[in-house]
Amino acid sequence: MKKGKVFLVGAGPGDEGLMTIKGLKAIQQADVILYDRLINPRLLEYAPSHCELIYCGKFPQQHLLKQELINDFLIQKAMDGCSVVRLKGGDPGVFGRVGEEAEALVTNEIPFEIVPGVSSGIAAPLYAGIPVTHREYGVSFAVVTAHDKSKEGKPNIDWAGLVASVDTIAFYMGVSNISFIAENLILHGKPEETPVILIQWGTYGRQQTVQGTLRNIAKKVKETGIKNPAITLVGDIVSVRDKLKWFEKKPLYGRQILLARTGTAKSLVAEMLKDQGADVIEFPKWAKKEVQINETILNQLFMYERILFTSPESINEFFDLLISRKIDIRNLHATIYCLSKKSLKVLMERGLSGHLADDMNHCGGLLIIGNRKMDENRGYYLDRYGKHDIFQTSETILDEAFVPVVKNMLMEASLDTIVFPSSSSVDAFIENGSPYGIVAEEILKNLTIVCMGSSSEKRIREFGFEPDSIPAEPCPSKLLEVLILNKMREKVI
């Protein structure tokens, strides 16, 4: 069997938009991905459906996979002929142990490539409003590990040389050793009033900062309880932050939002929320499963006077099926209805117009087209729309490969808000907590509940919860207005 190839890829600091094009291409072609804790899990969504995802991240005081075992995995999977991606946070060459992994591959004659990434030591300060060099404040910059492999974990550094020759210093993962770092810098000549900032989860919406001086930073870190992952930046250049900070001014900065999902398509709502500074976890994560096509219905489409699409995905899948079967769209004589405005928009992108299901008349044969739990929902559709036929384009199932990925995301998050776009998203959230080790009803007690429309509002009330906010219209722009208003109210309180 021909050997595969290993790509040692830097995933950047967190914001998935900072991923390189070359790194993303490697993910899109991967058979196996071994990923770390600090990569943004959303990047894994670009992997092919067959790709095996292996978590080998490290939590403080807890190493899930030792480096030797990671090396063995890389070798074994490549020997099996796979395209293997080793996905690391930041840049793999900056405290990413890429040298050890590359040496193991060389020893076993495994072909590999190293794909650089945006380093956290540069990106996190920039997202906090601090360039690491500036002609007025710092013309030299150093990256230093703040935790070495010794038993005590105290870095063995040429402190005198560092202080004498470098203006700005970025310490990686230095929270636990912040007192040791500050004391040694002062001892070797750095003024006590030298500005210091710690940036936790840099470039994420949950980014937090603690700012002080070498004299008081250890005390401030203890008071705030900030933890790794964090970059510690030391130098006069920190003083430009008040003037240049930009990321924290985004309207949803600091919001950690759970977006209840029922579909597999990319969520424009999630992208909008993230662009405005929020962290967004889409839950649950779904996958598409093929189903046997009902050829009888497909051959008698001209008979139906009404067609109802239950999701945006079912619209695209249905018309793609017509194209693949060379069925003339003019065979459709039906008036088309959709359950949501989002589906109507997808329909218009296909060059067709439609109406909301609430405006449907009850005359003529009805075909309901969907891609999720069509058999289970027969009773609901019968009560709501009367006699009808069903055509299923695919089946939406829980993506088991992403269960551990989403579990880790939930573990790292401090959620404050949940958004329900539809009534079915309420059911999806309530029904699917178990595989992720959560009780959905318990989570809801502590979150601000936002329903995008009357159907989700009614459904969440049926489970005994009162929505906190409902946009004036069920659309992304009105949702954004509500979330910004909620945040402003919290500031006032």
Side-chain angles (χ1 to χ4, degrees):
M1 178 182 291
K2 183 180 178 181
K3 290 180 183 176
K5 188 173 184 178
V6 175
F7 295 84
L8 306 167
V9 177
D15 183 342
E16 71 268 26
L18 300 178
M19 181 73 185
T20 66
I21 294 173
K22 187 170 185 177
L24 194 61
K25 183 179 177 181
I27 291 173
Q28 292 169 333
Q29 298 175 349
D31 300 308
V32 181
I33 298 177
L34 289 85
Y35 65 100
D36 281 350
R37 172 197 176 202
L38 299 183
I39 68 109
N40 190 322
R42 288 168 64 98
L43 292 172
L44 300 174
E45 296 177 12
Y46 292 94
S49 58
H50 71 271
C51 183
E52 180 183 3
L53 305 177
I54 301 174
Y55 183 60
C56 47
K58 300 177 178 68
F59 290 91
Q61 313 301 322
Q62 179 186 359
H63 288 202
L64 294 187
L65 284 182
K66 292 186 178 296
Q67 187 61 53
E68 294 77 11
L69 189 54
I70 293 172
N71 295 350
D72 290 343
F73 266 119
L74 294 175
I75 294 163
Q76 173 194 326
K77 297 297 183 181
M79 293 294 285
D80 289 341
C82 297
S83 176
V84 185
V85 169
R86 175 73 173 102
L87 199 56
K88 298 167 168 288
D91 182 276
V94 182
F95 308 123
R97 304 186 74 170
V98 73
E100 299 169 47
E101 292 172 356
E103 287 176 7
L105 297 172
V106 169
T107 301
N108 288 272
E109 299 182 339
I110 303 293
F112 68 92
E113 289 188 28
I114 301 177
V115 182
V118 177
S119 179
S120 303
I122 296 173
L126 281 173
Y127 270 56
I130 308 166
V132 295
T133 63
H134 191 294
R135 287 190 297 175
E136 300 296 327
Y137 298 96
V139 296
S140 56
F141 168 66
V143 295
V144 181
T145 181
H147 196 282
D148 68 13
K149 63 180 182 179
S150 66
K151 186 175 181 180
E152 295 79 17
K154 300 288 191 286
N156 184 15
I157 297 170
D158 179 4
W159 294 101
L162 193 63
V163 170
S165 60
V166 179
D167 296 319
T168 307
I169 311 166
F171 290 93
Y172 282 58
M173 300 297 183
V175 175
S176 61
N177 285 332
I178 190 63
S179 294
F180 177 79
I181 290 168
E183 290 168 5
N184 275 279
L185 289 174
I186 293 170
L187 180 65
H188 290 87
K190 275 281 185 188
E192 288 187 350
E193 298 307 313
T194 301
V196 183
I197 188 170
L198 275 79
I199 309 158
Q200 181 188 39
W201 289 113
T203 79
Y204 282 95
R206 59 183 179 271
Q207 174 179 300
Q208 295 289 327
T209 59
V210 176
Q211 196 168 341
T213 65
L214 286 177
R215 176 176 52 81
N216 62 21
I217 192 63
K219 180 183 178 183
K220 289 192 172 187
V221 167
K222 185 176 181 180
E223 289 172 348
T224 58
I226 197 169
K227 295 181 173 61
N228 284 323
I231 294 292
T232 302
L233 198 71
V234 181
D236 291 336
I237 204 166
V238 174
S239 62
V240 306
R241 165 175 158 76
D242 289 339
K243 184 184 295 185
L244 300 184
K245 62 183 178 183
W246 59 274
F247 183 56
E248 293 153 72
K249 293 181 178 180
K250 290 197 171 191
L252 292 183
Y253 166 76
R255 297 282 85 174
Q256 296 191 51
I257 299 171
L258 195 67
L259 178 63
R261 293 294 312 277
T262 58
T264 59
K266 188 174 183 180
S267 170
L268 297 180
V269 171
E271 291 301 309
M272 178 201 68
L273 298 178
K274 183 189 170 300
D275 287 343
Q276 298 302 318
D279 264 355
V280 182
I281 297 177
E282 298 175 56
F283 178 94
K285 180 72 171 61
W286 301 99
K288 188 186 298 184
K289 179 182 177 183
E290 291 187 1
V291 296
Q292 186 172 353
I293 298 300
N294 189 322
E295 300 291 346
T296 301
I297 288 180
L298 202 60
N299 291 327
Q300 61 184 32
L301 291 173
F302 63 93
M303 294 176 57
Y304 297 99
E305 295 171 86
R306 296 174 295 158
I307 290 179
L308 170 63
F309 288 102
T310 66
S311 69
E313 290 89 349
S314 64
I315 295 172
N316 284 324
E317 291 170 0
F318 176 73
F319 287 107
D320 286 343
L321 180 63
L322 295 190
I323 292 170
S324 68
R325 299 293 183 90
K326 297 182 179 180
I327 296 175
D328 195 327
I329 194 173
R330 289 171 294 186
N331 287 343
L332 295 180
H333 300 153
T335 302
I336 300 177
Y337 298 90
C338 299
L339 287 183
S340 68
K341 288 185 177 181
K342 182 178 178 182
S343 293
L344 283 177
K345 184 178 178 182
V346 172
L347 192 65
M348 290 187 68
E349 290 170 355
R350 291 280 182 169
L352 298 169
S353 62
H355 311 273
L356 285 174
D358 291 341
D359 301 325
M360 185 190 297
N361 62 52
H362 297 283
C363 299
L366 171 64
L367 176 64
I368 299 180
I369 300 175
N371 67 324
R372 185 172 184 269
K373 295 187 175 181
M374 299 302 291
D375 286 332
E376 292 182 31
N377 290 328
R378 277 184 182 274
Y380 169 80
Y381 292 131
L382 187 61
D383 291 341
R384 187 87 185 256
Y385 303 110
K387 184 180 178 182
H388 62 273
D389 290 334
I390 279 180
F391 185 85
Q392 186 151 359
T393 56
S394 67
E395 180 61 70
T396 302
I397 60 174
L398 205 64
D399 193 335
E400 294 184 1
F402 268 80
V403 168
V405 177
V406 177
K407 284 177 72 173
N408 288 337
M409 294 173 74
L410 293 170
M411 189 185 305
E412 300 280 14
S414 297
L415 298 169
D416 51 64
T417 304
I418 185 165
V419 175
F420 291 111
S422 64
S423 59
S424 57
S425 71
V426 176
D427 293 332
F429 175 75
I430 297 291
E431 294 169 3
N432 291 282
S434 180
Y436 301 93
I438 65 170
V439 179
E441 290 88 348
E442 290 298 317
I443 290 181
L444 285 174
K445 292 177 182 178
N446 301 311
L447 298 182
T448 297
I449 300 173
V450 180
C451 294
M452 285 189 68
S454 57
S455 63
S456 54
E457 174 193 3
K458 179 183 178 182
R459 190 62 176 144
I460 198 67
R461 283 192 169 124
E462 290 173 354
F463 282 102
F465 293 93
E466 191 70 20
D468 296 284
S469 300
I470 304 168
E473 297 177 31
C475 64
S477 61
K478 296 300 181 182
L479 170 65
L480 181 59
E481 288 179 10
V482 163
L483 292 173
I484 293 173
L485 183 61
N486 287 347
K487 186 180 179 185
M488 291 172 63
R489 285 173 179 166
E490 288 180 14
K491 283 186 176 181
V492 172
I493 294 172

